[in-house]
Amino acid sequence: MATLLHTRLRHPEKAHRTDTPLLRKPEWIRVKAPGSPIYAETQKIVRENGLVTVCEEAGCPNIGECWSKKHATFMIMGDTCTRACAFCNVKTGLPQALEPDEPERVADAIARMGLAHAVITSVDRDDLADGGAEHFARVIRATRTATPTTTIEVLTPDFLKKNGALEQVVEARPDVFNHNLETVPALYLKIRPGARYFHSLRLLQKVKELDPTIFTKSGIMVGLGEERHEVLQVMDDMRSADIDFLTIGQYLQPTRKHHVVSRYVTPDEFSGYEKVAYTKGFLMVSASPLTRSSHHAGEDFAKLQAARAALAR
């Protein structure tokens, strides 16, 4: 029988969130615990390069599947975030200084794993003048040098109040620029208090204005207390910003100290969201209980390319 993948208590400072017990997960979101030989090999490469992955830090339920395929999402600029979002299992605090050789270590790990498509994300670094934008650009450039055929997807912070930061990342020309809206606007103060919904939306719109060839991508979680009509409005807002790829996944409460799961959305509801999203004009949609931003990112990138090519014919 499949066992549940549990996350660690990483946020003693978030004890004010809630002490409500975690709801029992339904069968459709239970996953097998990791443990294959290829999983161990992936873990070894990550460790030997001294890298951090969002797979581990955020307690992703898909880590067993992804790492067993030698897929991992690298989290640059440390394991400590300057924000304290109510849904996130990454620890909050004052981060360490950037490591100058990290871009090369990430590039080496990507080469050793033989990744055709690499996903690079980061913690929020509000302590840095550029929010870490130049570091993102350096990782992209190092990866291009090490493995020129690897396509690159970045999942960035919002670079709030960091003038010129977005331009630095776009100039390095990632193939996919992802920034998650995470939830509906009405829940931002509870779920994502350090962010601003329309700033994040505008960030993605500006990527397209700066370089229309870059695919844009964003995602939200459901099960946080949002209403269906609010999700549909987010879809419309995203399309107004010319976002290509939408992901929708079930929010899973990492610990009792985080925001509670209001309900578990059924697979049929996710299927409904996917159908509606395609009618609104997204090139690619991934909507399921276990959908996460970087889950199946390589396969999805190939589908994105095919969808754009079909549209151009």
Side-chain angles (χ1 to χ4, degrees), residues 8 39-53 56-57 63 67 74 105 109 112-113:
R8 296 164 288 169
Y39 175 95
E41 187 178 348
T42 302
Q43 187 179 57
K44 181 181 178 183
I45 293 171
V46 169
R47 298 287 184 271
E48 287 179 350
N49 283 271
L51 300 175
V52 177
T53 68
E56 295 175 292
E57 299 304 311
I63 188 171
W67 282 31
F74 301 102
R105 299 201 320 267
R112 289 177 63 187
M113 289 181 184

Side-chain angles (χ1 to χ4, degrees), residues 12-32:
E13 74 281 5
K14 293 185 179 179
H16 63 282
R17 298 294 186 204
T18 178
D19 288 317
T20 303
L22 276 67
L23 296 178
R24 180 175 175 80
K25 296 179 177 73
E27 288 294 328
W28 63 76
I29 55 173
R30 297 192 176 204
V31 295
K32 292 181 179 179

Side-chain angles (χ1 to χ4, degrees), residues 46 49-55 57 72-82 90-91 95-110 118-128 130-143 152-157 159 169 172:
V46 169
N49 283 271
L51 300 175
V52 177
T53 68
V54 74
C55 321
E57 299 304 311
T73 298
F74 301 102
M75 191 167 79
I76 61 175
M77 299 191 280
D79 64 354
T80 304
C81 188
T82 53
V90 175
K91 68 182 177 181
Q96 299 292 318
L98 296 180
E99 297 175 351
D101 66 339
E102 184 179 48
E104 287 69 34
R105 299 201 320 267
V106 171
D108 180 67
I110 289 169
V119 184
I120 299 151
T121 188
S122 78
V123 290
D124 277 290
R125 290 298 302 260
D126 296 315
D127 59 310
L128 300 174
D130 68 350
E134 176 56 26
H135 203 72
F136 261 105
R138 287 188 58 219
V139 173
I140 295 169
R141 291 193 292 264
T143 302
I152 299 171
E153 179 171 330
V154 294
L155 172 54
T156 76
F159 300 125
V169 180

Side-chain angles (χ1 to χ4, degrees), residues 226-281:
E226 71 292 325
E227 299 290 340
R228 176 179 167 81
H229 72 88
E230 293 177 303
V231 174
L232 300 185
Q233 183 60 57
V234 170
M235 291 183 190
D236 288 337
D237 292 344
M238 286 186 181
R239 288 304 301 135
S240 295
D242 202 20
I243 292 169
D244 299 305
F245 187 174
L246 166 67
T247 62
I248 307 177
Q250 171 70 51
Y251 167 63
L252 299 177
Q253 185 181 353
T255 74
R256 289 177 175 83
K257 308 304 179 184
H258 290 78
H259 194 280
V260 297
V261 176
S262 67
R263 72 185 188 97
Y264 288 105
V265 178
T266 67
D268 285 346
E269 289 177 273
F270 277 105
S271 179
Y273 279 138
E274 181 175 309
K275 290 173 183 174
V276 171
Y278 274 120
T279 68
K280 291 181 181 292

Side-chain angles (χ1 to χ4, degrees), residues 20 43 52 55 62 70 110 137 147-148 176 197 201 207-209 231 244 249 271 275 284 293 306 310-311:
T20 303
Q43 187 179 57
V52 177
C55 321
N62 300 315
K70 269 196 176 179
I110 289 169
T147 55
V176 181
Y197 177 79
L201 202 61
V207 171
K208 280 292 189 185
E209 293 171 359
V231 174
D244 299 305
S271 179
K275 290 173 183 174
M284 181 73 194
S293 289
L311 202 62

